[in-house]
Amino acid sequence: AHRLGYLHTSPEAQEIVGEWLSPLGFLGNVAELTEADRAVFEHVAPVAPAATLGAIERALQDGDDETVKRCTPYVHVLRSLAYDSALFERAALLIVRLLLVEEDDHGRKSEQDMIASLFSLYLSGTHATLEQRLQVVEALLHSPDPKRQALGTSALRASLEALHFFSVLSFDFGARSRDFGYWPHTFAEVQSWFRAAVHLATTVACSDAHSALKTR
């Protein structure tokens, strides 16, 4: 599995991993994997990102809280999957779903910081567009659920950060060539980013949304 994880360009490896991740494959039900099988799952995830995301979605779609809790170890895999703009929104919403079942807010802080970092101007680890990211933030801020609001506030705060950019997270994902995510190359791009982020913040702050006070 470790070796397969570095063969994402190999059609044979893709076929093998695709079978493993199919609904009837031995990695098809990620909520019921043993610790050893979970390690296999994490090793081969880079070979088939879309299939990996689909397997996690199947487990969470109709799962109860206990089922969802068994999937919380996959938060880091989901963050790696969010690198691609085509998978970003689905991966981000699944991370939110996993964080919502955690009962200990203190224990969730590192995970909360991890999802918030996806919305940072630098070192985000994703190439999702600004529009994609702000749509997720806006949905969280307008949610009546206080936990979702808190995650939205953290994400909004990250999108407005202008000075202190850092990350302790790994950006590696198998043998895939990756960088630190979107990186503005001109001052105009930086202006565009903050103009949109501030517009969202002021719109929510001046609305009757449940999170208006926190946003202000």
Side-chain angles (χ1 to χ4, degrees):
H2 191 197
R3 293 179 179 182
L4 280 175
Y6 290 97
L7 298 175
H8 65 276
T9 60
S10 165
E12 293 84 0
Q14 293 171 4
E15 182 179 358
I16 292 170
V17 174
E19 291 178 358
W20 288 0
L21 292 170
S22 67
L24 297 179
F26 93 93
L27 297 177
N29 187 353
V30 299
E32 301 296 334
L33 297 183
T34 65
E35 185 175 351
D37 289 343
R38 189 183 305 135
V40 172
F41 176 81
E42 294 177 356
H43 278 315
V44 301
V47 179
T52 299
L53 183 59
I56 299 176
E57 281 180 327
R58 285 198 307 271
L60 300 185
Q61 186 173 15
D62 300 314
D64 55 21
D65 283 353
E66 288 304 315
T67 299
V68 176
K69 285 180 181 179
R70 290 197 293 271
C71 294
T72 53
Y74 305 126
V75 168
H76 292 277
V77 174
L78 287 168
R79 191 186 186 283
S80 294
L81 295 173
Y83 178 88
D84 296 313
S85 59
L87 303 179
F88 173 80
E89 290 160 283
R90 292 163 61 195
L93 292 177
L94 289 179
I95 294 175
V96 170
R97 179 77 175 91
L98 293 177
L99 292 180
L100 292 178
V101 299
E102 294 288 349
E103 298 175 357
D104 182 3
D105 287 340
H106 179 71
R108 300 187 319 142
K109 189 178 187 308
S110 60
E111 285 81 6
Q112 289 176 339
D113 291 342
M114 184 183 64
I115 189 174
S117 68
L118 287 170
F119 301 89
S120 176
L121 176 58
Y122 295 100
L123 300 174
S124 64
T126 180
H127 280 276
T129 65
L130 173 61
E131 290 72 22
Q132 286 179 292
R133 291 192 252 184
L134 291 186
Q135 283 178 0
V136 174
V137 177
E138 184 173 15
L140 292 172
L141 291 174
H142 282 285
S143 171
D145 183 355
K147 287 187 175 181
R148 287 182 179 269
Q149 294 172 32
L151 292 174
T153 302
S154 296
L156 179 63
R157 183 180 296 111
S159 72
L160 293 170
E161 180 59 60
L163 292 175
H164 306 291
F165 299 100
F166 68 94
S167 178
V168 296
L169 301 171
S170 171
F171 295 91
D172 295 332
F173 196 48
R176 291 181 176 273
S177 178
R178 289 195 161 183
D179 52 26
F180 299 121
Y182 169 72
W183 203 277
H185 297 292
T186 66
F187 185 64
E189 291 181 13
V190 176
Q191 284 183 311
S192 177
W193 174 281
F194 286 114
R195 185 178 295 115
V198 170
H199 176 72
L200 172 60
T202 53
T203 300
V204 175
C206 297
S207 71
D208 58 356
H210 296 283
S211 60
L213 180 59
K214 292 180 181 179
T215 303
R216 290 197 292 273

